[in-house]
Amino acid sequence: MKSTANIMVLLVEDNMDIAGTISDYLTIEGIECDHAFDGETGFQRALTGEYDVILLDIMLPFRDGISICNALRNEGIDTPVLMLTARDTLADKLEGFSAGADDYLVKPFALEELLMRTRVLSRRRSGEIRRFSLGDLIVDFENRHVARSGQAISLSPTSWTILEVLAQNSPHVVTRSRLSMALWQGDPPDTNALKTHLYKLRMRIDKPFDQNLIHTVAGQGVALRE
């Protein structure tokens, strides 16, 4: 399962004070937090599929949270969504859940509760995906087993973490900062550390086989795809 250091959150909140407080608190707790101040920017970022949880305010400039959530579900984005709003009637909550929200938190709320709900939601999608396959590659998350073309592949803990993040986000591109956060909470031991570990992973996953599955996308990051 995902550790806290692997959690990447998108916060869509137009109140700068609230956004700063939430972002700072989650960062202290080891959760990486990206932020959008308006609905349209938040929607575009959510489409990348890199996030484990989306914290989504309902009342936003340019595009409201309900329409964002509904559009994401229509696009096939299954990232868990936690609605943040001051609207606390049953009708409001039902509207959010009908749009595809996974949870609902009414303002004002305790940051400890937000943290707990975020961690729970971050496990929801990954908990459903116990086994990943891509071509002849099989990744068994539950048993930490990797095989390709029927051959078992042994990986170091660092290589496993990289592969786990890439597989959970496949076929989307994963940024280098996201991988660095998963491995070292964003503070790598040296500037070439990630490059070195990616090379070692490629040597195990790709080199013995005909087709490369780990791809560098210039200016964006790394993707696991055919």
Side-chain angles (χ1 to χ4, degrees):
M1 294 299 106
K2 210 183 282 284
S3 68
T4 301
N6 288 356
I7 299 175
M8 177 72 167
V9 165
L10 172 63
L11 172 62
V12 189
E13 168 62 67
D14 63 322
N15 186 303
M16 296 185 67
D17 290 335
I18 293 176
T21 299
I22 292 174
S23 181
D24 290 345
Y25 181 79
L26 293 179
T27 300
I28 290 172
E29 293 295 330
I31 297 176
E32 188 174 0
C33 188
D34 195 5
H35 180 228
F37 284 106
D38 66 81
E40 186 57 38
T41 302
F43 175 67
Q44 294 301 325
R45 290 186 183 178
L47 286 176
T48 66
E50 275 197 28
Y51 303 101
D52 298 297
V53 180
I54 299 171
L55 306 179
L56 182 61
D57 190 19
I58 289 183
M59 302 299 293
L60 293 163
F62 307 126
R63 190 164 189 169
D64 67 88
I66 297 294
S67 68
I68 291 172
C69 189
N70 190 62
L72 289 174
R73 297 310 185 226
N74 288 338
E75 290 288 336
I77 304 298
D78 64 349
T79 307
V81 172
L82 172 57
M83 289 285 192
L84 306 177
T85 180
R87 295 161 52 178
D88 61 353
T89 68
L90 177 59
D92 292 327
K93 293 179 181 179
L94 290 176
E95 184 181 23
F97 287 127
S98 295
D102 297 88
D103 203 353
Y104 203 103
L105 195 55
V106 177
K107 299 175 181 177
F109 48 78
L111 291 172
E112 292 84 355
E113 182 176 5
L114 174 66
L115 175 65
M116 177 193 69
R117 290 177 183 241
T118 299
R119 285 175 171 166
V120 169
L121 286 177
S122 75
R123 296 192 293 267
R124 181 168 296 177
R125 182 172 60 177
S126 63
E128 294 172 355
I129 305 174
R130 299 180 181 275
R131 183 183 175 91
F132 169 85
S133 61
L134 177 67
D136 57 353
L137 174 68
I138 296 174
V139 181
D140 184 336
F141 294 114
E142 191 169 12
N143 298 305
R144 284 179 167 259
H145 176 76
V146 182
R148 187 163 182 191
S149 293
Q151 302 177 34
I153 299 174
S154 61
L155 296 177
S156 68
T158 301
S159 292
W160 166 263
T161 298
I162 296 173
L163 180 63
E164 182 181 29
V165 174
L166 292 176
Q168 288 173 343
N169 290 277
S170 177
H172 301 292
V173 176
V174 179
T175 63
R176 293 179 181 274
S177 63
R178 171 81 186 277
L179 291 172
S180 179
M181 179 63 67
L183 291 171
W184 307 290
Q185 297 199 16
D187 187 21
D190 62 69
T191 56
N192 292 318
L194 181 57
K195 181 178 180 181
T196 299
H197 287 297
L198 280 169
Y199 173 78
K200 291 179 179 178
L201 180 62
R202 285 188 169 101
M203 293 293 289
R204 304 295 296 172
I205 299 296
D206 281 343
K207 186 172 182 181
F209 306 96
D210 294 333
Q211 182 183 7
N212 290 338
L213 298 178
I214 301 173
H215 303 276
T216 296
V217 181
Q220 297 184 47
V222 184
L224 185 63
R225 59 174 66 148
E226 290 188 286

